[in-house]
Amino acid sequence: MSCSDMKVITVIGSGLIGRSWSMVFISGGYNVKIYDNQPGQAANAIKEIRKQLEELEGANMLRGELMATQQLALLSSYDDLAQALEGAFFVQECVFEQLDVKQSVFQEIERLVGKDIILSSSTSCLVPSSVFSRVQNKSRCLVSHPVNPPYYVKLVELVPHPETTAIVMDTTHALMTKVGQAPVRLRKEIDGFALNRVQAAIIAESWRLVQDGIISVKDIDLVMSEGLGMRYAFIGPMETIHLNAPEGLEDYMKRYGEGITRVLNSFGPVPDFCGSGSKSIAKEICELIPNDRQHLSARIERRDQLLMALSKLKKDH
C-alpha cells in the first residue's frame, strides 16, 4: 500500500477540523471528498475553504505547489456517505468529540468500504481501542490527532490501536509527510497521547504557581508566550538539554539533574480544577481578559498571523 499510488481521501465532517484537513490534503495534490450528514453543510464548507485559500494565496502563504484554483478543483462535497467513500484509500474522521458518535460513524464506514481502506480518527482525547471498539477489522485503524489549526501547526500524533499493523502506520506516516505535516508515532496508545499529556503538565504547574500566590495569571502566561514558547517553537526539550551542556545530555544531567529532581519533588498534587481555588483564579482571569467574541476573534486572528509567520520562517530556513 503506497500513498503515492492512491489519490482519493474522504473527510468525514465539515467543521473546522474537517475543513482544515481538507485544505492540507488538497495542498498535497490529493482529491478530497468531504461528507457531512447535515444536507448542504459539506457544500458550505467548500465555500469557506475557497475563501481561505484565496486569502492565503494573496498573502503568499498557500501550501503546496498548486494554485488555489487547482486545489479547489480537487474538492467535492457529499451528503451521501457511500458516494463520499467510493474510491478512497484513506478516511479521516472529524466529527465532534463524542465516543458513541465516533463509534457509530466507523461502524457504518466499515460496512461500506473494502478491507484495505485505512480508517483514521482526529480525536484529541479518546484512545483508539475505545473509538474503534465496534469495528471488526481493527488492524487498519489509528488516530491521527492534529493540532488546531492543522494548516499552520503541522504536528500530527499517530496513535495505533493495539491491533494496528505496521504497514498502516507506515502508509499514514508517509501520507502525512507528503502533504507537509510533521507526523510523530506513538508506539502504543495512552490516555491524552503525547501532546496533551505535556500540555496537562504545564497547565497543572501553572495553576499551582498561581494558586499558591507565586505568580500572577498575566505573568505565568508571559512565561510561556515570551519564554518557553519562543524556545520550543524551534527546539524541543530533549534537544535543548542535549545542546545546553558541552558534552551533551549526560553532561547536562550531571550538572543539572539533581536540581531538576529537587524541583520535581517540590511539585504539589494534581490541582482541583473545579474546587474553591479555581474561583480566585477565574476572577483574576476575568479581570485581565475580557470574555467577549470580539476579543476572542482578535486573539485567534493574531495567533493565526503568528503561526503563518513562524511557518514561513521555518520553511525559509
Side-chain angles (χ1 to χ4, degrees):
M1 188 187 301
S2 170
C3 64
S4 299
D5 301 329
M6 307 294 185
K7 282 298 178 183
V8 179
I9 295 173
T10 299
V11 172
I12 307 294
S14 63
L16 176 62
I17 299 301
R19 295 195 301 271
S20 296
W21 268 129
S22 298
M23 290 169 63
V24 168
F25 291 139
I26 61 174
S27 75
Y30 287 92
N31 287 286
V32 173
K33 304 169 79 171
I34 308 177
Y35 166 79
D36 198 294
N37 64 356
Q38 298 298 314
Q41 286 298 102
N44 289 335
I46 292 182
K47 293 178 183 178
E48 178 61 28
I49 290 171
R50 176 181 291 107
K51 178 183 176 182
Q52 291 185 55
L53 292 183
E54 289 172 350
E55 291 175 353
L56 288 164
E57 190 169 49
N60 294 316
M61 287 300 298
L62 190 67
R63 287 177 56 166
E65 299 177 358
L66 301 177
M67 297 173 59
T69 53
Q70 294 173 307
Q71 293 189 24
L72 284 165
L74 298 172
L75 274 175
S76 54
S77 62
Y78 296 84
D79 298 333
D80 181 270
L81 182 58
Q83 292 178 0
L85 293 168
E86 187 175 349
F89 82 99
F90 190 90
V91 177
Q92 186 69 38
E93 167 270 316
C94 308
V95 303
F96 54 92
E97 200 79 344
Q98 188 172 324
L99 180 58
D100 60 338
V101 173
K102 290 182 182 290
Q103 290 173 333
S104 297
V105 166
F106 279 113
Q107 192 174 27
E108 180 66 11
I109 290 173
E110 186 178 44
R111 188 179 66 82
L112 297 169
V113 300
K115 60 182 178 64
D116 294 327
I117 310 305
I118 296 175
L119 305 184
S120 173
S121 174
S122 298
T123 181
S124 60
C125 64
L126 302 171
V127 293
S129 57
S130 295
V131 173
F132 301 107
S133 62
R134 299 182 192 174
V135 174
Q136 296 300 311
N137 179 14
K138 299 176 177 63
S139 66
R140 37 84 171 273
C141 299
L142 80 161
V143 164
S144 299
H145 171 226
V147 184
N148 190 24
Y151 197 85
Y152 307 121
V153 185
K154 298 182 177 181
L155 181 76
V156 183
E157 295 183 285
L158 305 183
V159 187
H161 184 280
E163 298 179 27
T164 304
T165 63
I167 188 65
V168 166
M169 292 292 287
D170 291 344
T171 300
T172 305
H173 190 280
L175 168 63
M176 296 301 174
T177 302
K178 186 175 185 296
V179 298
Q181 298 302 93
V184 296
R185 304 176 195 239
L186 273 66
R187 293 170 181 167
K188 58 183 179 180
E189 66 177 27
I190 185 172
D191 191 17
F193 312 147
L195 183 143
N196 283 330
R197 291 180 74 89
V198 172
Q199 180 173 254
I202 293 171
I203 290 172
E205 182 55 18
S206 298
W207 188 281
R208 285 190 291 257
L209 289 171
V210 172
Q211 186 171 262
D212 293 348
I214 307 298
I215 195 169
S216 69
V217 166
K218 178 181 180 181
D219 284 352
I220 193 62
D221 278 354
L222 286 173
V223 166
M224 290 301 301
S225 64
E226 299 297 330
L228 285 176
M230 299 294 285
R231 171 191 289 173
Y232 289 157
F234 291 93
I235 183 172
M238 303 305 284
E239 188 176 358
T240 295
I241 62 178
H242 185 63
L243 297 179
N244 256 3
E247 301 300 323
L249 185 144
E250 291 185 355
D251 185 22
Y252 181 94
M253 286 308 172
K254 288 178 183 177
R255 294 166 182 259
Y256 307 112
E258 184 178 337
I260 293 172
T261 301
R262 185 183 68 252
V263 170
L264 289 172
N265 284 330
S266 73
F267 282 9
V270 175
D272 180 0
F273 295 111
C274 298
S276 58
S278 66
K279 293 181 180 179
S280 61
I281 296 177
K283 183 175 183 293
E284 189 173 348
I285 290 175
C286 289
E287 291 173 351
L288 178 68
I289 305 169
N291 186 19
D292 59 71
R293 185 170 295 277
Q294 184 177 359
H295 177 80
L296 178 61
S297 297
R299 296 299 288 175
I300 291 175
E301 183 178 356
R302 178 60 176 157
R303 177 201 66 177
D304 290 352
Q305 289 173 348
L306 290 172
L307 290 171
M308 288 172 66
L310 179 61
S311 179
K312 187 175 189 302
L313 187 62
K314 284 186 172 183
K315 183 179 180 181
D316 292 345
H317 290 79

